[in-house]
Amino acid sequence: MNGIPHDGLQMINMETLEDIKKEILNCKKCQLHLTKTKYVPGVGNKEARIVFVGEAPGREEDLKGEPFVGSAGKLLTELLSSIGLKRDDIYICNVLKCRPPNNRDPLPEEVKVCGDYLIRQLNVLKPDLIVCLGRHSASFIFDLFAIPFTSISRVCGKVFEAEKWNKKVKILPLYHPAAVLYRPQLREDYERQFKSLGEIIGRESKQKTLFDY
Ligand code: URA
């Protein structure tokens, strides 16, 4: 980290997303670096006010080094565009930066060590809104903001608010798009939840907060 101590004053966080990416691209903190093809640090707008957080790279992401480029990513991109957002408007990353073999669930030790990169990315971006895709992402972000997490089906589509970075931050947990592909009966609700997300963004931009795309 490039913190600059200054006469006993608070450390200034000068870290950038590029610094974090460089570290991720050399990471050997867990075994996943041995089985991955490419590291998947995250992509998007470095000034983004909205960050989407998924679980971990899948097969396509592992090959390309970019999050959400497979079938779940296509659905995500389509729903973003339905509310007027392009991938370039937001930042997209995952809790894990390497693909777990056969897309198994992340292990708690992996989440612990790799989640530190996500925390640092969020501390640089300081978003106004974090959209959690799926239960692993939601439970990590809820923990980070000290909000009790029950289950994704209970919280999904509800907006939570917390204080961080000296401002109010909104957290919106949603189902993972892969879950919606797997269970098409969730699709209608999912589209409705994206519509509400569009309304939140529209409302906030009218109130002249930072959602001004
Ligand atoms: N699923 C995720 O959680 N993240 C990706 O990047 C792709 C699929």
Side-chain angles (χ1 to χ4, degrees):
M1 260 205 244
N2 297 327
I4 303 171
H6 183 65
D7 292 342
L9 292 175
Q10 200 187 359
M11 288 262 282
I12 301 166
N13 183 7
M14 301 288 285
E15 186 165 60
T16 65
L17 290 174
E18 266 316 298
D19 298 330
I20 303 167
K21 180 176 172 182
K22 271 191 210 139
E23 253 186 69
I24 293 171
L25 297 183
N26 286 297
C27 183
K28 296 190 172 35
K29 287 188 195 166
C30 81
Q31 298 294 302
L32 292 183
H33 77 280
L34 297 171
T35 48
K36 59 115 190 53
T37 311
K38 286 192 175 170
Y39 293 98
V40 184
V43 288
N45 191 324
K46 293 180 173 54
E47 308 283 317
R49 309 313 325 136
I50 307 175
V51 175
F52 279 68
V53 180
E55 173 183 324
R59 193 166 62 94
E60 304 293 326
E61 291 76 20
D62 174 68
L63 293 173
K64 200 161 173 205
E66 193 176 317
F68 286 101
V69 290
S71 47
K74 283 204 184 79
L75 175 58
L76 176 64
T77 307
E78 186 187 322
L79 289 167
L80 286 172
S81 123
S82 76
I83 56 169
L85 283 180
K86 298 185 296 298
R87 284 171 69 105
D88 286 351
D89 293 326
I90 59 175
Y91 194 81
I92 313 178
C93 58
N94 286 304
V95 177
L96 296 192
K97 313 305 189 194
C98 289
R99 182 194 185 199
N102 302 315
N103 298 347
R104 65 153 168 74
D105 281 353
L107 301 175
E109 313 86 82
E110 292 161 357
V111 171
K112 191 164 187 292
V113 289
C114 202
D116 187 53
Y117 293 123
L118 172 57
I119 294 172
R120 288 164 56 193
Q121 288 172 317
L122 292 173
N123 282 337
V124 171
L125 286 159
K126 300 181 175 48
D128 295 324
L129 171 65
I130 301 173
V131 182
C132 314
L133 300 172
R135 70 189 162 100
H136 292 283
S137 162
S139 98
F140 184 87
I141 297 293
F142 274 50
D143 260 11
L144 181 63
F145 285 80
I147 304 169
F149 180 73
T150 47
S151 71
I152 189 69
S153 55
R154 286 204 180 184
V155 296
C156 106
K158 298 189 180 126
V159 179
F160 292 77
E161 238 179 33
E163 278 287 323
K164 203 165 178 78
W165 307 302
N166 290 321
K167 64 177 179 180
K168 283 202 164 48
V169 179
K170 287 186 165 62
I171 297 156
L172 174 64
L174 295 178
Y175 283 122
H176 194 286
V180 179
L181 289 176
Y182 192 69
R183 293 165 65 197
Q185 67 272 27
L186 296 177
R187 173 91 185 220
E188 207 180 314
D189 248 5
Y190 207 50
E191 285 176 1
R192 229 188 332 264
Q193 288 163 4
F194 265 82
K195 233 174 132 197
S196 328
L197 169 60
E199 282 159 15
I200 296 170
I201 295 168
R203 204 164 47 237
E204 298 283 340
S205 66
K206 276 199 201 87
Q207 286 170 3
K208 284 216 169 301
T209 61
L210 291 163
F211 294 124
D212 43 4
Y213 292 99

